[in-house]
Amino acid sequence: MALVVQKYGGTSVGNPDRIKNVARRVLATQQAGNQVVVVVSAMSGVTDSLIKLAKEIHDMPSEREMDVLLATGEQTTIALLAMALHALGAKAASLTGAQAGIVTDRAHTKAKITNITPKRVHDQLNDGNVVIIAGFQGETPERQITTLGRGGSDLSAIAIAAALKADLCQIYTDVDGVYTADPRIVKDAQKIQEISYDELLEMAALGSKVMQARSVEFAKKFNVVFEVRSSFNDNPGTIVKAETRSMEDVVIRGVAVDKKQAKVTVAHVPDKPGMASRIFRAVADANINVDVIVQNVSEAGSTDITFTVGTDDLKKSLVALEKIAREVGASGVTAQDNIAKVSIIGVGMKSHPGIAAEMFEALAANHINIGMISTSEIKISVVIDLKDADKAAGVLHEKFELSKK
Ligand code: ADP
Ligand code: ASP
Ligand code: MG
């Protein structure tokens, strides 16, 4: 008997009919002779409305209480899906993240899974149940509720598949798989049959929200092969696995767009050793991820340090930066959030020179101004005006011939 882990995202469980649809799919998988563990997200829109509700009460709510609040979204879905399975005559039991043995660190709203002891999952499976686990949540060693960052149900599913040594891990969503670009932005984007962990990790980290970046990192670390596919049809999806030789034949695998980026500048930082380290330490201590960094000479003896952060972290960044700017004697902190980051990704870039030049030429030919640039072995990102983001994605998708089957 094989053990299958299936994850269903928010749209897939977005209303009662869709929950019933998931129940039928899950039951069919069990009836085909498998043990099934299901990880679910909150119903679509629920997490967002809980966040909105919290902000109406407090403009910077306590992160501990945010986690208590947000975890309710997934808890609703596990119970409803268990009921839907019961209605079909199946045996099913729901478990919260904590009940499933998911232990995390103490970083509220962005916790990392440190350990999983899935004893209750095994017990319930052995009793013939479909086991339904709330995604996106866990608990600290002190038994405080934590959540795993936006899109975190993907991480729950991958981590549970690893802990249970599942035979199959399937991520069901509202698109047929991973595409060469977000199909909502680039109309002729193509489904990718196979993609390496590293490529999907970059795509996810650079804004392709089809998978949470951390979940892909986790899958890579524990070598969890998984498939991204649709809960609305039976089309084969995208297989995500370690890089194989033939993957390098494709120079650019995909284009990613991140519209939730903000640019922060600390102006007139004294030009002496230790300043950047103090600024970025303050940001790191606030648990904020920084991406593209640029340092410019502003006038003799001082520099401007500019970098990007996620818009969700902007407020928190400004609080941390205004304090450190005063301490180091910088003149002030400014922020701009009408920017976007557009990136091209592919392991084949390693062996093909000149890709950056081609990318910049294509943008220039379309009058798209580049504000900042950052590169790694397998990606090139540019920061541009938000209004140009979709156009840039289309231009690059065409330039690198990603619409060809
Ligand atoms: P779920 O609720 O199932 O977790 P998400 O909304 O988090 O689903 O992710 C699926 C969405 O990701 C798709 O609807 C699509 O618009 C978006 N997306 C962004 N980039 C890509 C891509 N390269 N391939 C497929 N989907 C993408
Ligand atoms: N409900 C959470 C979110 O919206 C987690 C998830 O859907 O994966 O971010
Ligand atoms: Mg998601």
Side-chain angles (χ1 to χ4, degrees), residues 7 9-10 41-43 47-48 70 73-74 135-136 149-154:
K7 178 251 168 177
S41 291
M43 295 167 75
T47 307
D48 285 337
L70 295 188
E74 273 65 16
F136 181 52
R150 296 308 307 265
S153 299
D154 295 331

Side-chain angles (χ1 to χ4, degrees), residues 210-330:
V210 62
M211 286 295 294
Q212 187 208 33
R214 272 191 184 175
S215 71
V216 184
E217 208 174 342
F218 198 102
K220 181 185 176 189
K221 189 161 167 200
F222 294 96
N223 205 13
V224 179
V225 175
F226 64 96
E227 184 181 11
V228 180
R229 51 188 300 166
S230 169
S231 66
F232 300 108
N233 61 47
D234 292 317
N235 298 341
T238 300
I239 305 289
V240 186
K241 59 183 197 179
E243 185 179 328
T244 57
R245 226 156 212 251
S246 64
M247 287 180 180
E248 269 201 48
D249 296 344
V250 178
V251 183
I252 304 301
R253 182 79 54 194
V255 175
V257 180
D258 190 345
K259 298 181 184 174
K260 293 185 75 185
Q261 288 282 304
K263 189 160 92 177
V264 186
T265 300
V266 187
H268 295 103
V269 179
D271 192 9
K272 56 183 190 199
M275 292 296 112
S277 74
R278 286 180 65 186
I279 291 169
F280 288 103
R281 169 52 55 204
V283 178
D285 286 346
N287 214 353
I288 294 160
N289 291 324
V290 168
D291 189 33
V292 188
I293 303 174
V294 182
Q295 183 171 335
N296 283 326
V297 177
S298 52
E299 55 191 53
S302 78
T303 66
D304 288 350
I305 298 180
T306 303
F307 54 91
T308 58
V309 297
T311 45
D312 290 345
D313 281 334
L314 182 56
K315 230 179 222 167
K316 212 161 90 173
S317 312
L318 292 178
V319 172
L321 286 167
E322 268 149 21
K323 181 162 176 281
I324 191 74
R326 275 193 303 275
E327 287 171 20
V328 302

Side-chain angles (χ1 to χ4, degrees), residues 10-88:
T11 317
S12 304
V13 294
N15 62 42
D17 281 339
R18 288 184 174 176
I19 292 176
K20 290 178 191 171
N21 168 54
V22 168
R24 283 191 295 273
R25 285 177 164 262
V26 169
L27 182 58
T29 309
Q30 191 194 41
Q31 285 172 341
N34 302 296
Q35 288 189 312
V36 190
V37 172
V38 187
V39 175
V40 287
S41 291
M43 295 167 75
S44 59
V46 166
T47 307
D48 285 337
S49 51
L50 290 172
I51 293 173
K52 190 162 162 272
L53 204 54
K55 300 247 156 101
E56 282 171 28
I57 305 276
H58 195 300
D59 64 351
M60 278 185 89
S62 138
E63 293 187 330
R64 178 191 183 278
E65 302 309 331
M66 273 316 276
D67 280 349
V68 174
L69 179 69
L70 295 188
T72 63
E74 273 65 16
Q75 202 168 324
T76 305
T77 321
I78 55 172
L80 294 175
L81 181 57
M83 293 171 194
L85 279 154
H86 295 162
L88 297 175

Side-chain angles (χ1 to χ4, degrees), residues 1 96 294:
M1 199 188 285
T96 64
V294 182

Side-chain angles (χ1 to χ4, degrees), residues 160-197:
I160 286 164
L164 297 174
K165 300 191 172 56
D167 299 289
L168 203 59
C169 178
Q170 300 172 317
I171 307 290
Y172 285 91
T173 181
D174 56 3
V175 277
D176 283 8
V178 179
Y179 279 67
T180 49
D182 186 341
R184 290 177 212 274
I185 297 178
V186 178
K187 290 294 166 231
D188 54 2
Q190 300 293 318
K191 183 166 73 189
I192 301 169
Q193 270 175 9
E194 281 187 355
I195 187 168
S196 67
Y197 294 126

